[in-house]
Amino acid sequence: MKTTTRVVVIGGGVVGASVLYHLTKLGWSDVMLLERSELTSGSTWHAAGGFHTLNGDTNMAALQGYTIRLYKELEEITGMSCGLHHVGGVTLADNRDRFDMMLAERAKHRFMGLDTEIVGPEEIAKIAPITNLDGIIGGLYDPLDGHLDPSGTTHAYAKAARMGGATIETHCMVRETNPRPDGTWDVVTDKGTIHAEHVVNAGGLWAREVGAMAGVYFPLHPMEHQYIVTDDIPEIYNRSAEHPHVMDPAGESYLRQEGRGLCIGFYEQPCKPWAVDGTPWTFGHELLPDDFDKIADSIDFAYKRFPVLATAGVKSVIHGPFTFAPDGNPLVGPVPGLRNYWSACGVMAGFSQGGGVGLTLAQWMIEGEPERDVMAMDVARFGKWINPGYTRLKVTENYQKRFSVSYPNEELPAARPLRTTPMYDIFTSMGAVWGQQYGLEVVNYFAQGQEPTFETPSFRRSDAFDATAREVKAVRQAVGINELQNFGKYRVTGPGARDWLDWIMAGRVPQPGRLSLTPMLSEKGKLIGDFTISCLGADEFQLTASYGAQSYHMRWFEQHARPDVQVQNVSDTRTGFQIAGPRAREVLAACTRADVTTLKFLDVRKLTVGMTDCLVQRVSYTGDLGYEIYCDPMDQRALWQVLWQAGSACGMVPFGMRAMMSLRLDRFFGSWMAEFSPDYTPAETGLDRFIQFSKNSDFIGKAPAMDEHATGPARRLVSFRVDAADADVHGYEPIWLDGKVVGFCTSGGFAHHTGTSIALGFLPSDRVADCPAVEIEILGEMRPAQMITEPLFDPDGSRMRG
């Protein structure tokens, strides 16, 4: 066995084999895979082997499309069969909400180039004739759906990797992974120790245990999953073509042809977590005992939906564990806090996503970053606060909702509340309706009077519409107060702090007492952060950004650390409030002896507010006159009391995130992971206006940013006034111009202050000057929209800056 290698991949399932192959495909041949048993041991061998492109995240859907197209390439490279069956598939909708979700998904597919189709009951009867269509109002047909041979596919990946120079060592048990001071690793196995530059955890069912060897907790949990293969069914084997897949969300089932019969699997509500305290190392090619009781209701429903099942015998039952992350997406990428340690686990849908996961990780390792935004599966999307108790509850919830409607405004209840601020009980008593971000409870809106205390999930305008309008009105006419906890906050200190910020940030680093807005760029000039820099002193700065990107941003800071700079994540040790609206200055003045009239726009100052020492910034995401007031969490309730008492004389109203996201639309302010994400560049989004190209620093991403700034981007982010009905843009709706899809929306909603439905999205740069009238497809309807260039509120910024 080799004792040195560039990469050790731990785990010989389909994901590990895909990572190994893609590393060789992109040019690294000195790579090695270790498997404690045989290839496919674990979840891979007993998987149903289905694949599909449908995914709520467009980048995940694109990677699934890549995976499916890859299989023919593997067959051509290796001469091996993957056992491909491209039979197509239809997902059924039995109510309006399910159908709305399919309309929204079909719209996304238009600009992604996926050839899906909305079909009615008559067409479904032709596609899937064994289906009882009672109650079915339509469906989504995907011609790329199909299934394959799990073992054959995994071995094809392995052969292709070997052809590229990779080594595979089976029956090789990893015992330890020990980091060296230089960032390389000693991988200790029962056959000896291997020195590797990089380690990839593709441990599947054992990913938690493999991670623990490196001192890392991976938020994963296996769930028991059961599917049934029937005896021969005449309605199946007498067909001239193979029966397509049918997904029946109402019945929590998926169905496909298997030989002369059918295979049907279930995501049942009375589901069971498996191996709660750890996956046994001795587990391998075993199955779990049959458990028909937990799927009894699902089977009864399936007999009604697919009557041929009722008279079919059962040939075999496959009951085995699959591993899930709390949100159902994989955990991929460099693990925060470790050097050269990578994750490729939690890939529940291995034969839909395994190829895309392998490609993404190989690009990340070899090229420094993946080609597209993969935040939906980035291992850094969870913070250090996550633990097995939380993971198990969320994984169970995710399993149960596998086939449920996924709404844009839905707040899932499991494992909540977990993390709260000192204001939680006060805000609850005031009618707070809570959402969550990154484990933190965040107010969505405050219910007053007859307003709903639960926001009903919907693709259309929700029942929180009136409450949101009331809060927006209060901010624009008087003053509103909103908690500041849900910002990511970082304290940067040290003699090299300014130079470091000049290098890691593309924008201007402000002078003491001032703040600036700046993008943070990857090496390829993509957006990886949208920051505010506050200069508190010669060697002290505060950075603020998205709360949910803490681990993502801290990983970047640590990867680019310098010895004369200290970066501390203070997201949960600095909290406070935002006050905004035309009377905000009046409120602040009543709470401090300082002269707040001298606090200019983009000023930052240390003030005593009431009895609390605070950091006050003259800026507001509402686009109005406003202040961000930061304090120690121990002082937050005292700060609240003084602000609320002073604000009561000025008509102060508390407001939540629903109002915040409406207020920002009046000013066309973008949002992280909507308008600003690693998919986009500063020139495309307009953030290049905050880049200081003239500064002496060779900041990260400078060359590609300057090139695009000089030549101009192919597309630009613009704003639209939409003639909407009862539904507004949420994101990824296609934009039509001259009968063709030319762009897509990034986000939108209803701007209550101006009574306007607003959408933000990309258009080709050569059409922007026309200010064209377009159509935006919202839930299957073509809604007229007009590009607009001037903000609807405070267009000259006089109120915001005054």
Side-chain angles (χ1 to χ4, degrees):
M1 184 178 73
K2 293 172 60 175
T3 58
T4 61
T5 187
R6 192 168 199 172
V7 182
V8 162
V9 178
I10 302 173
V14 65
V15 175
S18 171
V19 170
L20 194 72
Y21 162 66
H22 282 92
L23 287 171
T24 64
K25 183 177 181 180
L26 270 61
W28 283 9
S29 58
D30 182 18
V31 294
M32 187 176 190
L33 183 147
L34 305 179
E35 165 55 44
R36 68 181 181 89
S37 181
E38 298 285 354
L39 294 182
T40 77
S41 298
S43 296
T44 296
W45 78 270
H46 62 71
F51 54 78
H52 58 273
T53 58
L54 186 62
N55 192 294
D57 183 274
T58 56
N59 284 306
M60 291 295 295
L63 289 171
Q64 289 176 195
Y66 166 81
T67 300
I68 294 168
R69 292 188 294 271
L70 177 64
Y71 293 132
K72 288 186 178 179
E73 177 184 324
L74 279 178
E75 290 183 330
E76 293 171 359
I77 291 171
T78 64
M80 297 177 65
S81 172
C82 293
L84 293 175
H85 295 256
H86 278 287
V87 296
V90 62
T91 303
L92 306 176
D94 66 333
N95 60 46
R96 185 70 215 184
D97 280 358
R98 291 193 200 280
F99 195 63
D100 279 350
M101 184 174 76
M102 292 177 192
L103 290 170
E105 290 304 307
R106 171 64 188 112
K108 294 177 187 178
H109 296 166
R110 291 194 196 278
F111 71 83
M112 294 171 62
L114 295 175
D115 190 24
T116 56
E117 181 183 356
I118 296 293
V119 291
E122 291 184 1
E123 293 163 292
I124 295 172
K126 297 174 184 176
I127 295 167
I130 64 169
T131 307
N132 175 2
L133 296 172
D134 289 350
I136 299 299
I137 62 176
L140 180 68
Y141 177 72
D142 186 348
L144 284 179
D145 272 16
H147 57 276
L148 46 66
D149 169 26
S151 178
T153 300
T154 304
H155 283 277
Y157 274 124
K159 182 176 179 180
R162 286 191 181 103
M163 292 170 66
T167 301
I168 296 176
E169 194 77 29
T170 58
H171 298 283
C172 184
M173 178 77 175
V174 174
R175 304 290 191 189
E176 301 174 21
T177 56
N178 300 317
R180 291 188 179 186
D182 64 356
T184 63
W185 292 82
D186 287 325
V187 180
V188 180
T189 79
D190 56 1
K191 292 183 176 180
T193 298
I194 304 162
H195 179 220
E197 183 180 343
H198 300 270
V199 170
V200 177
N201 181 351
L205 290 173
W206 296 268
R208 294 175 297 175
E209 288 70 31
V210 172
M213 295 177 187
V216 176
Y217 171 65
F218 280 79
L220 301 165
H221 202 92
M223 296 292 293
E224 298 181 4
H225 183 67
Q226 199 163 200
Y227 66 89
I228 295 169
V229 178
T230 72
D231 286 327
D232 295 357
I233 298 175
E235 291 87 344
I236 296 299
Y237 65 72
N238 284 328
R239 285 174 52 86
S240 59
E242 187 171 355
H243 196 281
H245 290 204
V246 184
M247 277 63 69
D248 181 22
E252 302 161 345
S253 71
Y254 59 88
L255 173 146
R256 67 167 176 82
Q257 184 170 338
E258 174 68 20
R260 291 162 59 90
L262 290 170
C263 165
I264 184 167
F266 306 98
Y267 284 91
E268 69 284 354
Q269 293 302 300
C271 56
K272 295 182 180 179
W274 182 76
V276 172
D277 296 316
T279 303
W281 289 111
T282 54
F283 187 81
H285 281 87
E286 301 90 342
L287 288 173
L288 306 179
D290 297 349
D291 188 351
F292 287 104
D293 288 343
K294 71 172 181 174
I295 60 172
D297 290 343
S298 298
I299 290 176
D300 287 344
F301 197 101
Y303 283 178
K304 296 182 179 70
R305 181 68 73 210
F306 310 107
V308 297
L309 292 172
T311 56
V314 175
K315 179 185 291 185
S316 60
V317 179
I318 309 298
H319 190 202
F322 288 87
T323 303
F324 294 74
D327 58 5
N329 280 339
L331 300 177
V332 180
V335 175
L338 297 178
R339 293 169 63 189
N340 298 331
Y341 191 99
W342 306 79
S343 176
C345 50
V347 190
M348 184 280 304
F351 294 98
S352 291
Q353 299 173 342
V357 166
L359 174 68
T360 295
L361 196 67
Q363 289 176 336
W364 219 328
M365 295 175 73
I366 296 171
E367 300 172 4
E369 61 189 270
E371 65 182 289
R372 63 178 70 248
D373 168 25
V374 293
M375 183 64 78
M377 63 178 183
D378 192 331
V379 67
R381 70 187 184 276
F382 298 109
K384 293 180 180 179
W385 50 268
I386 201 166
N387 59 39
Y390 176 91
T391 298
R392 185 171 64 256
L393 293 174
K394 295 304 287 187
V395 164
T396 301
E397 178 184 61
N398 180 267
Y399 185 99
Q400 291 171 325
K401 294 185 69 63
R402 183 71 183 165
F403 279 152
S404 297
V405 179
S406 181
Y407 298 94
N409 67 327
E410 186 172 25
E411 297 288 353
L412 300 178
R416 292 178 56 203
L418 175 63
R419 310 183 77 230
T420 61
T421 74
M423 292 301 298
Y424 184 77
D425 60 333
I426 294 176
F427 280 165
T428 298
S429 70
M430 297 176 72
V433 179
W434 296 94
Q436 73 83 34
Q437 182 185 17
Y438 203 64
L440 174 72
E441 294 296 310
V442 178
V443 180
N444 280 337
Y445 65 94
F446 290 86
Q448 305 293 319
Q450 299 301 308
E451 293 167 354
T453 57
F454 170 79
E455 183 181 9
T456 304
S458 176
F459 287 92
R460 300 171 189 273
R461 291 175 186 162
S462 80
D463 50 9
F465 190 83
D466 291 341
T468 303
R470 174 181 53 78
E471 293 176 8
V472 167
K473 182 178 180 180
V475 173
R476 290 291 188 240
Q477 293 188 355
V479 61
I481 187 167
N482 174 273
E483 197 170 20
L484 276 180
Q485 176 67 24
N486 59 324
F487 281 165
K489 299 170 282 285
Y490 311 91
R491 183 170 181 258
V492 182
T493 57
R498 176 173 290 276
D499 287 343
W500 182 78
L501 286 170
D502 243 340
W503 170 60
I504 207 162
M505 299 292 177
R508 178 179 55 84
V509 180
Q511 295 301 311
R514 294 288 288 168
L515 60 88
S516 64
L517 309 178
T518 174
M520 185 167 72
L521 307 182
S522 72
E523 298 283 359
K524 296 182 180 179
K526 296 293 187 72
L527 292 170
I528 58 171
D530 170 30
F531 280 82
T532 298
I533 306 176
S534 305
C535 184
L536 311 183
D539 299 327
E540 183 184 4
F541 298 84
Q542 176 175 286
L543 309 179
T544 53
S546 169
Y547 187 81
Q550 289 174 56
S551 289
Y552 176 77
H553 286 147
M554 280 301 297
R555 180 179 65 194
W556 185 257
F557 296 153
E558 290 166 0
Q559 288 171 344
H560 296 82
R562 288 180 176 176
D564 58 348
V565 182
Q566 293 77 50
V567 181
Q568 181 185 6
N569 185 354
V570 295
S571 299
D572 294 327
T573 55
R574 285 186 183 173
T575 187
F577 302 96
Q578 171 187 200
I579 58 173
R583 304 190 72 178
R585 182 183 288 113
E586 185 179 344
V587 171
L588 183 59
C591 300
T592 181
R593 296 185 62 82
D595 182 4
V596 300
T597 63
T598 62
L599 196 61
K600 303 186 296 297
F601 183 61
L602 300 184
D603 272 357
V604 55
R605 192 179 302 173
K606 293 179 180 179
L607 300 178
T608 299
V609 181
M611 299 183 294
T612 304
D613 289 333
C614 298
L615 184 69
V616 180
Q617 301 192 154
R618 174 69 196 285
V619 69
S620 173
Y621 189 55
T622 65
D624 214 316
L625 168 66
Y627 304 87
E628 294 175 355
I629 309 171
Y630 296 93
C631 68
D632 187 294
M634 293 293 288
D635 299 326
Q636 189 182 16
R637 291 167 74 105
L639 178 60
W640 163 260
Q641 292 296 338
V642 71
L643 290 172
W644 185 246
Q645 183 176 354
S648 62
C650 298
M652 178 179 278
V653 167
F655 68 101
M657 290 305 297
R658 295 286 185 260
M660 177 79 83
M661 297 309 283
S662 174
L663 289 160
R664 61 112 184 177
L665 291 173
D666 287 326
R667 293 281 305 163
F668 307 158
F669 285 172
S671 176
W672 177 246
M673 293 312 297
E675 285 67 47
F676 312 135
S677 87
D679 268 340
Y680 313 135
T681 67
E684 290 175 335
T685 57
L687 285 185
D688 57 341
R689 69 187 184 277
F690 297 116
I691 294 179
Q692 191 177 18
F693 290 104
S694 61
K695 66 180 180 179
N696 293 329
S697 171
D698 188 19
F699 60 83
I700 297 172
K702 183 175 184 177
M706 288 189 71
D707 289 345
E708 189 175 41
H709 185 69
T711 61
R715 61 185 180 184
R716 291 188 184 275
L717 184 68
V718 296
S719 304
F720 299 94
R721 186 194 306 268
V722 186
D723 181 9
D726 62 341
D728 302 297
V729 160
H730 293 290
Y732 297 114
E733 292 84 354
I735 300 171
W736 294 75
L737 183 59
D738 301 331
K740 297 184 295 185
V741 174
V742 296
F744 62 93
C745 297
T746 51
S747 74
F750 194 79
H752 285 275
H753 175 64
T754 54
T756 307
S757 183
I758 296 293
L760 305 179
F762 286 108
L763 275 186
S765 295
D766 59 2
R767 300 304 305 269
V768 169
D770 302 342
C771 291
V774 301
E775 290 182 305
I776 298 176
E777 184 178 349
I778 304 176
L779 300 181
E781 294 186 2
M782 305 296 280
R783 307 303 306 183
Q786 176 65 54
M787 180 182 154
I788 48 179
T789 57
E790 185 173 272
L792 303 180
F793 168 75
D794 194 26
D796 62 358
S798 58
R799 189 149 121 181
M800 180 175 68
R801 294 181 173 86

